[in-house]
Amino acid sequence: MELFGFEKETLLDLTVNVIPLGIILFFIAAFAVVSPFGLDPVFSGLQFSLMISMFLLLAVLTYYAGRAVEDAERAEEEHATLDDPDGATELADDDESTEDDAELGSDDEGLPEA
Amino acid sequence: MAVGDLLLTGLMAVLLVGIIAALTRIENWRSYTPLAGGGTATGEDGAVLNREKPAGIIRWLTTVDHKDIGLLYGLYAIIAFAVGGIMATLIRVQLVVPGGAILGANAYNSILTSHGITMLFLFGTPIIAAFANYFIPLLIGADDMAFPRINAIAFWLLPPAALLIWAGFFLAPVTENMIEPAQTAWTMYTPLSAEQTNPGVDLMLLGLHLSGVAATMGAINFIATIFTERGDDVNWANLDIFSWTILTQSALILFAFPLLGSALVMLLMDRNLATTFFAVEGGGPLLWQHLFWFFGHPEVYILVLPPMGLVSLILPKFAGRKLFGFKFVVYSTLAIGVLSFGVWAHHMFSTGMDPRLRASFMAVSLAIAIPSAVKTFNWITTMWNGRLRLTSPMLFCIGFVSNFIIGGVTGVFLAAIPVDLVLHDTYYVVGHFHYIVMGAIAFAVFAGIYYWFPVFTGRMYQRTLGKAHFWLSMIGTNITFFAMLALGYLGMPRRYATYEFDGAIAPLAQVSTYHLLATTGAFILLVGQLIFIWNLLQSWLEGPKIEDGDPWNLERDGMLDKEWEWYDRKLETAITDGGEDETESALTDGGVPEGDASRSDDN
Amino acid sequence: MEEQPGLSDQYRTASPWPVFVALGLVLSEIGVFIGLFPVAVFGLILFGGSVAGILTESGYVTRPWPTLVGVGVVLAFIAAGLAVAYLPAANIAVANIGNGPVFTRLVAVAVAGIVMVAMGGVGSVMEQTSV
Ligand code: HEM
Ligand SMILES: [Cu+2]
């Protein structure tokens, strides 16, 4: 599955930012439908531009961050030979699988199923 | 006036001569230092000389080594923490009785203002810079910061900034209160801050401006370092979490602090040059609030993101498993970074701004709570079924999570307009942000200090004292600041030196009780911090030496990060080349050839 | 990499300039904003001089004098420009120094600039004639 050119794993990681995006979107829609204070060109304009600009900025930054991380992962894989001595804090990729038993380093390449 | 000018000119001339003398001495020493081979003996005390650094005090004044600068930041921040802490104690003592125990209203306001500014700008930002300077280059495998000299300049702006911010306290006695400490509160709201004629306010504003310049220089440096100086094996996919948070924080600083700087200059000009940026006939007083909070809200995240990074880095080490959902934490850090610029007016809900605008700020404020909550779940899940080791750093991490939850949840309540209209400007707000700044930020800082204590001192702290520090801090924080939340519900307004209200504002009996509780908690906190300082000093001087590069036994879980590997190599080099070849590593006090930078001859 | 102690020793990790750059900036700000003429002049000169010093030391430029002259020229121009743009021409007079708060500050900046230009000029001439 590809969306915006991301692999599934990355998409899953990015869902974390989809939630705040969704909340903002919800309020944009809600305020568009219900406007108890009436509409005013200046203030309603500011109101929506604040929310829309935050939405766009967050979406763009999330996109580029996802890109940077995924590209780095690809490059890492191409370098193939898994030299991964210092597992430590690095990518805990797929957030569901590797977790249950602590030990890492072994499979933190993470992407094989993709 | 003329006499004053003459005096000042004379003073400047003396300073000039002094500087030239100092420079020629240092430059001389430098040009005669042989590049290879043994060091020269400039230090009379016979201290071991590195070829790259002079000895004694000069070494600290001239250093551009990121580890030394990190230590300087740390020392500076701890001193500021002590000063701010003493001020906090005075505030709490004052409030034990409704009429005020020790201070007049002016003194109270001065101390309250300085407490806030000291803790946020002179303790919070610098202590984070301390960790970042010391560990970012080690964590990403860089030689040093991208611009080591700018790094040093940024640090050296801070001591004068502190002196300026506190100037009123020193100058009031000698100028017969002509120059007093500022009484503007840390938010410096106009028109009050523009109208107080006290020159102490100008000095404080200048100090703040300088600290902002310093923070901006530091931020540029961190961004450049993380982008360009990474080691070959460090990429965006495996960059550690602390570096991610510092990167985000630096971006926030880059957008927020210059704005504060400009607003401060505008305020200074309103005060001194009769401009009208914030006057009613000019931009109006609300302009200040918008500018200030456009900086101010990002500032709170500037302060909290790196501590979140510290916890995300340290907590897994003692849970025996990797950070759950590492990338969730990374992306939500970035989300917080962006969204923090779209919520500033939640500090201004009660100013009568347009309700539509207010609603949109509420929407974004609710959205920003999600990434924070996500992190909380990640930390908790990391501990779930983990093999927890309750060392002092781990205890502080857990304390962080617990306090951050209370701080965050109360924040979400405040972000709801109807709730905020009731609670705004009460102790509830004070309780909210103290849960975060003391309960979370300071706790993460303590965790970091204990965790890395072996790296920068070569010794171990005293565990029992560490635990005592934790429990006293945890209990003290929760008594003090929970009492403040309750005070807020009772309606106790913030920023008052006394509280002899009639019952219409708040029920006096309950209010007194909670104030008493808050003060009790503050004293528990105080005892905890005294133990902390004692532990730091004593263990630094005589704690047990660390022999192994992995004092936390992280290897077992495959979690030994680069900074520990570096440390281990440093220890080994010290042992293997000790004495032989031309390196004069003479290890009298456990100094090692180069990194003793970080320890031996300072204190 | 730093982590090979002993190898990185040639690498200089000391510089006298940062303290003075910082001090120069601090004194300039205090001098200009509070309106203390001598402090402003001295602070700006110290700042310009240390910037020249630090740039030379770190190898961005080979000699300090052109930087000093450059900083001086920039300061003098800024001061002159602001004076012309914001002050009525009649106020710009030697007799006015010490009166108008804005004018006096601008004079301080200009004086510092001119002194730096002079110092830079003299310095480079001396450097070329000696040796
Ligand atoms: C979970 C996200 C957060 C939300 C939704 C939130 C919300 C709020 C709101 C609405 C206020 C204004 C209350 C008022 O004055 O009526 C406030 C005040 C404050 N918050 Fe938060 N907050 C959050 C997190 C934080 C964090 C992480 C920090 C600190 C690092 C922080 C520090 C502060 C400070 C210092 C104030 C008081 C400012 C003042 O008036 O002096 N908050 N918060
Ligand atoms: Cu806020």
Side-chain angles (χ1 to χ4, degrees), chain C residues 15-44:
Chain C
S15 163
W17 295 108
V19 177
F20 296 119
V21 176
L23 187 64
L25 185 60
V26 170
L27 292 178
S28 328
E29 284 207 358
I30 296 177
V32 172
F33 280 108
I34 309 283
L36 304 170
F37 194 96
V39 180
V41 174
F42 176 77
L44 286 167

Side-chain angles (χ1 to χ4, degrees), chain C residues 58-127:
Chain C
S58 48
Y60 286 106
V61 294
T62 46
R63 28 186 38 82
W65 314 117
T67 317
L68 197 56
V69 174
V71 176
V73 169
V74 169
L75 283 182
F77 267 106
I78 290 179
L82 285 177
V84 173
Y86 288 104
L87 293 179
N91 283 10
I92 306 178
V94 177
N96 246 344
I97 297 175
N99 289 336
V102 181
F103 184 61
T104 312
R105 287 168 162 92
L106 291 179
V107 171
V109 176
V111 168
I114 293 165
V115 172
M116 272 184 255
V117 172
M119 282 164 70
V122 172
S124 61
V125 169
M126 279 174 49
E127 195 180 56

Side-chain angles (χ1 to χ4, degrees), chain B residues 241-254:
Chain B
I241 188 67
F242 183 56
S243 301
W244 272 111
T245 53
I246 288 290
L247 185 64
T248 314
Q249 182 221 27
S250 300
L252 293 185
I253 289 180
L254 207 55

Side-chain angles (χ1 to χ4, degrees), chain B residues 67-362:
Chain B
K67 295 190 256 44
D68 287 357
I69 294 177
L71 288 176
L72 286 172
Y73 267 112
L75 177 69
Y76 175 91
I78 301 254
I79 292 173
F81 186 56
V83 173
I86 291 169
M87 289 170 173
T89 312
L90 292 176
I91 294 173
R92 283 320 316 170
V93 171
Q94 162 78 358
L95 296 174
V96 277
V97 288
I102 49 173
L103 303 166
N106 284 356
Y108 179 85
N109 291 343
S110 307
I111 289 174
L112 184 80
T113 303
S114 290
H115 163 71
I117 291 183
T118 301
M119 286 304 199
L120 294 176
F121 295 91
L122 307 181
F123 164 66
T125 321
I127 195 75
I128 292 168
F131 285 114
N133 266 296
Y134 203 109
F135 291 106
I136 292 284
L138 297 181
L139 283 166
I140 66 173
D143 290 341
D144 201 313
M145 298 289 288
F147 309 111
R149 286 179 178 74
I150 291 189
N151 204 19
I153 297 174
F155 172 76
W156 287 110
L157 285 172
L158 287 178
L163 290 180
L164 285 169
I165 287 171
W166 298 330
F169 290 102
F170 310 129
L171 294 177
V174 293
T175 57
E176 286 161 1
N177 289 341
M178 265 248 307
I179 304 180
E180 288 187 299
Q183 302 173 16
T184 53
W186 83 282
T187 51
M188 301 168 281
Y189 274 13
T190 54
L192 185 67
S193 58
E195 283 164 4
Q196 290 183 346
T197 48
N198 166 21
V201 178
D202 295 308
L203 296 176
M204 179 199 71
L205 294 175
L206 283 174
L208 270 181
H209 187 252
L210 287 167
S211 84
V213 172
T216 313
M217 290 169 95
I220 294 172
N221 215 339
F222 284 118
I223 293 176
T225 306
I226 295 177
F227 267 90
T228 63
E229 305 282 310
R230 274 176 285 145
D232 297 331
D233 54 339
V234 179
N235 58 36
W236 291 122
N238 63 13
L239 187 66
D240 67 281
I241 188 67
F242 183 56
S243 301
W244 272 111
T245 53
I246 288 290
L247 185 64
T248 314
Q249 182 221 27
S250 300
L252 293 185
I253 289 180
L254 207 55
F255 288 107
F257 267 91
L259 188 110
L260 173 73
S262 320
L264 289 172
V265 169
M266 286 156 74
L267 183 55
L268 275 165
M269 289 170 68
D270 269 13
R271 291 175 54 82
N272 292 297
L273 301 177
T275 51
T276 55
F277 291 115
F278 303 117
V280 182
E281 66 276 19
L286 267 194
L287 177 62
W288 171 264
Q289 294 194 24
H290 278 295
L291 291 180
F292 182 82
W293 287 116
F294 186 83
F295 148 82
H297 188 85
E299 163 71 2
V300 305
Y301 279 99
I302 287 168
L303 288 171
V304 86
L305 282 177
M308 285 172 162
L310 286 177
V311 169
S312 305
L313 188 80
I314 297 170
L315 184 138
K317 304 292 189 292
F318 299 100
R321 37 195 306 209
K322 296 191 288 194
L323 181 62
F324 176 84
F326 179 86
K327 295 229 182 100
F328 280 8
V329 181
V330 169
Y331 294 127
S332 55
T333 301
L334 297 173
I336 290 177
V338 172
L339 294 181
S340 64
F341 283 100
V343 300
W344 75 88
H346 67 208
H347 296 273
M348 304 163 58
F349 281 156
S350 60
T351 55
M353 44 190 288
D354 184 272
R356 285 159 290 220
L357 260 183
R358 215 162 52 175
S360 61
F361 280 105
M362 177 174 95

Side-chain angles (χ1 to χ4, degrees), chain B residues 120 186-187 189 292-293 296-297 299-305 308 343 346-350 365-366 368-370 372-373 404 407-416 420-421 423-426 429-430 432-434 436-437 441 494-495:
Chain B
L120 294 176
W186 83 282
T187 51
Y189 274 13
F292 182 82
W293 287 116
H297 188 85
E299 163 71 2
V300 305
Y301 279 99
I302 287 168
L303 288 171
V304 86
L305 282 177
M308 285 172 162
V343 300
H346 67 208
H347 296 273
M348 304 163 58
F349 281 156
S350 60
S365 302
L366 294 180
I368 203 176
I370 299 300
S372 314
F404 184 74
V409 169
T410 50
V412 178
F413 279 103
L414 286 174
D420 185 68
L421 293 181
L423 293 175
H424 176 65
D425 261 343
T426 68
V429 177
V430 184
H432 153 64
F433 68 78
H434 277 91
I436 294 183
V437 288
I441 296 172
R494 62 192 284 208
R495 296 185 176 133

